[in-house]
Amino acid sequence: MLFEINLHNQFLCKKLYSQKGIVMKTIFALAAAVLMGSITINTANAQGAGNTANYRHMVEFSADDLVQTTLAFNRSKDANAQADNDTQLRLNLNYAYAIPAHRRLQVGGKFNYLKQTLPGPGDSENYGAKVGGYYNISGWNRTDEVDLMNSAYISAFIGFGWNNSYGNARVKDELTNAEMAIGKRMDLTRWGVGHVTYSPEVAFTTINSSTSASIDYTQSIELRLLQFSVLW
């Protein structure tokens, strides 16, 4: 579930997604993904599953990522019009790597892609990528061993994006975006789920348009409550 306070051209709006059907689908998808990811990684790393000090790779995902990640092929026809074939694809990928010599630091990237057909605007394609990293805080002593499975962290990412519409009113918008977040990972091993952490965070995001084709800017404060990370 994502609670977002969004500031867009001086207007404040609040969104809360709590519809029963979406919640049930989110819980099911989340549980399935967590269990399958844990089983797969535990099987592949059975000999070193308990040694968290060797973990280097991290994939981060939210409930929205799971529910909304889709690939669909549609064929539709309106009255007095030819049949139309549509492809819809939504994909979000978030990956980070812990530097062996500086385990407090993880570097990585985020990629998002959305292709869909909307009534009125027609076909649209939005995509972007960001690079950045995490600084992990685990204890007050800098010599303490860093436990990525239970550390607090500060993250920062910056990148570019493009919003394109291919309908009657063609729009091609170039975006720059950035985000900063603070969060805490909590190991779920005690609940029988290995390699998975619950990692809620508070994030500030900003998107600026270099062309002002669709927006001028968007600023958001997001409470990412249903967010998880898989480490191995």
Side-chain angles (χ1 to χ4, degrees), residues 1 26 31 39 60 64-65 67 87 110 135 166 173-174 203 213 218 228:
M1 181 178 294
T26 298
I39 292 172
E60 187 179 72
D64 288 339
D65 293 338
V67 172
T87 300
K110 300 185 177 186
Y135 182 77
Y166 305 113
D173 203 359
E174 297 179 359
T218 298
F228 296 82

Side-chain angles (χ1 to χ4, degrees), residues 51-112:
N51 190 3
T52 61
N54 292 330
Y55 291 175
R56 296 283 183 267
H57 311 278
M58 183 182 78
V59 174
E60 187 179 72
F61 61 92
S62 69
D64 288 339
D65 293 338
L66 291 175
V67 172
Q68 297 177 10
T69 298
T70 58
L71 173 62
F73 302 96
N74 302 322
R75 181 178 177 85
S76 59
K77 185 180 184 305
D78 296 331
N80 303 320
Q82 294 182 345
D84 186 23
N85 296 314
D86 302 321
T87 300
Q88 300 189 37
L89 174 63
R90 183 189 297 267
L91 181 64
N92 293 303
L93 299 175
N94 306 310
Y95 172 80
Y97 177 77
I99 300 176
H102 304 280
R103 281 184 53 79
R104 290 183 182 274
L105 183 62
Q106 295 171 279
V107 295
K110 300 185 177 186
F111 173 78
N112 64 277

Side-chain angles (χ1 to χ4, degrees), residues 120-166:
D123 292 338
S124 67
E125 186 178 38
N126 305 333
Y127 53 91
K130 291 179 283 190
V131 296
Y134 300 79
Y135 182 77
N136 295 280
I137 305 167
S138 183
W140 297 104
N141 189 339
R142 286 183 174 271
T143 62
D144 287 347
E145 180 66 28
V146 178
D147 181 6
L148 296 179
M149 297 288 289
N150 292 285
S151 64
Y153 62 86
I154 300 171
S155 68
F157 286 83
I158 187 169
F160 298 91
W162 293 264
N163 289 352
N164 303 319
S165 297
Y166 305 113

Side-chain angles (χ1 to χ4, degrees), residues 147-223:
D147 181 6
L148 296 179
M149 297 288 289
N150 292 285
S151 64
Y153 62 86
I154 300 171
S155 68
F157 286 83
I158 187 169
F160 298 91
W162 293 264
N163 289 352
N164 303 319
S165 297
Y166 305 113
N168 294 329
R170 298 178 66 88
V171 175
K172 186 174 183 180
D173 203 359
E174 297 179 359
L175 311 171
T176 58
N177 53 71
E179 71 172 68
M180 295 188 64
I182 181 170
K184 175 69 170 71
R185 300 191 193 101
M186 288 164 274
D187 191 355
L188 297 183
T189 301
R190 72 187 66 181
W191 304 102
V193 183
H195 294 274
V196 180
T197 69
Y198 173 53
S199 51
E201 67 181 21
V202 179
F204 172 76
T205 66
T206 178
I207 301 174
N208 293 278
S209 171
S210 60
T211 59
S212 298
S214 59
I215 63 170
D216 290 330
Y217 71 86
T218 298
Q219 295 176 337
S220 304
I221 297 176
E222 300 177 0
L223 305 181

